[in-house]
């Protein structure tokens, strides 16, 4: 067709490479802090609540997409040590709030209205996580001049990985609550308690936190 230009193979291969890097980064068990946060925001839901989860995850996505772009492009620059401390703090707060989430006593009872603060909270915490993603992406890019294609590919890869994690969490919750008949309140408290403990461990072992608290730092 006239006026249509096919993308060059180099651009496509670069996009695919960074898409894979983004996917690997969000799903990497060695950097599980982002996975923990996604688990925390999804912990009070099952598959039947997928619409609420879509809105929450979209808010988180919007937040981290903004700061991922701004930071990678050089418009925002925040000390990486603070981001490494703030990310587990976002996990801790989200897991803690899950203990106060109101829910019906059974599946067929009238559902409580979703607390309005969860959406801006997901957006705000997404801004912090985006800075964490950007530190990794900037290290990959180095002094590369053209960053739009890598940035887009990396962000798409993050989203694909994130959607898979969300789906797995919701399926597990559905199996535990709807099929194995575990109380939803019990499930939420158990999974949120585990996430809370892991986030607290990340904070207590963070070098910046230990320095600020006057605790000994491992050399």
């Amino acid at each position: 067709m006239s006026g249509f230009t096919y993308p060059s193979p180099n651009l496509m291969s670069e996009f695919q490479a960074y898409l894979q890097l983004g996917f690997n980064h969000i799903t990497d068990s060695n950097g599980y802090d982002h996975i923990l946060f996604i688990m925390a925001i999804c912990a009070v839901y099952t598959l039947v609540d997928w619409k609420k989860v879509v809105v929450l995850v979209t808010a988180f996505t919007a937040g981290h997409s903004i700061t991922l772009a701004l930071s990678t492009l050089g418009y925002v620059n925040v000390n990486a040590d603070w981001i490494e401390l703030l990310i587990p703090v976002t996990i801790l707060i989200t897991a803690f709030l899950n203990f106060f989430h109101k829910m019906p006593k059974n599946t067929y009872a009238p559902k409580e209205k979703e607390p309005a603060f969860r959406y801006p909270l997901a957006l705000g915490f997404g801004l912090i996580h985006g800075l964490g993603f950007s530190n990794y992406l900037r290290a990959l890019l180095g002094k590369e001049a053209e960053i739009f294609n890598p940035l887009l590919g990396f962000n798409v890869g993050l989203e694909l990985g994130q959607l898979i994690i969300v789906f797995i969490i919701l399926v597990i919750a559905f199996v535990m609550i709807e099929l194995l008949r575990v109380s939803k309140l019990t499930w939420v408290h158990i999974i949120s308690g585990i996430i809370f403990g892991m986030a607290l461990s990340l904070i207590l072992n963070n070098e910046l936190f230990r320095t600020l608290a006057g605790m000994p730092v491992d050399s």
Side-chain angles (χ1 to χ4, degrees):
M1 288 189 295
S2 60
F4 180 79
T5 304
Y6 287 95
S8 70
N10 288 339
L11 285 177
M12 289 302 295
S13 61
E14 181 183 55
F15 177 86
Q16 291 169 354
Y18 278 94
L19 185 149
Q20 184 67 49
L21 287 169
F23 181 87
N24 291 344
H25 184 58
I26 191 69
T27 57
D28 185 4
S29 59
N30 292 320
Y32 59 89
D33 48 357
H34 299 297
I35 296 176
L36 279 181
F37 181 78
I38 296 171
M39 290 177 65
I41 62 175
C42 294
V44 298
Y45 305 109
T46 68
L47 279 174
V48 296
D49 303 308
W50 67 269
K51 290 182 181 179
K52 294 179 180 179
V53 178
V54 167
V55 177
L56 268 176
V57 171
T58 299
F60 175 63
T61 296
H64 76 63
S65 297
I66 291 169
T67 46
L68 173 60
L70 291 177
S71 184
T72 305
L73 292 168
Y75 294 113
V76 175
N77 187 20
V78 180
N79 189 307
D81 292 338
W82 279 102
I83 300 305
E84 289 179 9
L85 174 58
L86 288 174
I87 286 175
V89 169
T90 66
I91 301 167
L92 188 82
I93 293 172
T94 306
F96 178 75
L97 291 175
N98 287 345
F99 289 101
F100 304 95
H101 185 81
K102 293 182 179 180
M103 58 192 74
K105 293 182 179 179
N106 60 70
T107 305
Y108 305 102
K111 294 185 180 297
E112 295 280 348
K113 185 178 180 180
E114 190 69 8
F117 71 85
R118 288 183 70 87
Y119 303 116
L121 197 70
L123 174 64
F125 286 171
L127 294 172
I128 296 172
H129 283 251
L131 293 171
F133 293 138
S134 69
N135 290 333
Y136 176 76
L137 180 56
R138 279 205 306 266
L140 291 174
L141 289 170
K143 297 185 179 298
E144 190 171 330
E146 175 55 51
I147 67 171
F148 176 78
N149 208 44
L151 177 60
L152 179 61
F154 188 79
N155 202 48
V156 171
L158 287 176
E159 298 322 307
L160 289 175
Q162 184 173 281
L163 289 173
I164 291 174
I165 294 168
V166 167
F167 179 72
I168 292 172
I169 295 167
L170 294 182
V171 168
I172 292 173
F174 181 83
V175 170
M176 296 297 294
I177 296 168
E178 304 296 339
L179 301 183
L180 299 181
R181 298 299 179 185
V182 174
S183 161
K184 186 173 183 179
L185 184 64
T186 300
W187 167 255
V188 171
H189 284 181
I190 289 174
I191 193 69
S192 297
I194 293 171
I195 295 169
F196 184 93
M198 294 177 74
L200 183 60
S201 176
L202 287 172
I203 293 170
L204 294 177
N205 287 289
N206 180 272
E207 288 190 11
L208 178 59
F209 174 82
R210 297 181 72 87
T211 300
L212 293 173
M215 301 167 65
V217 179
D218 295 335
S219 57

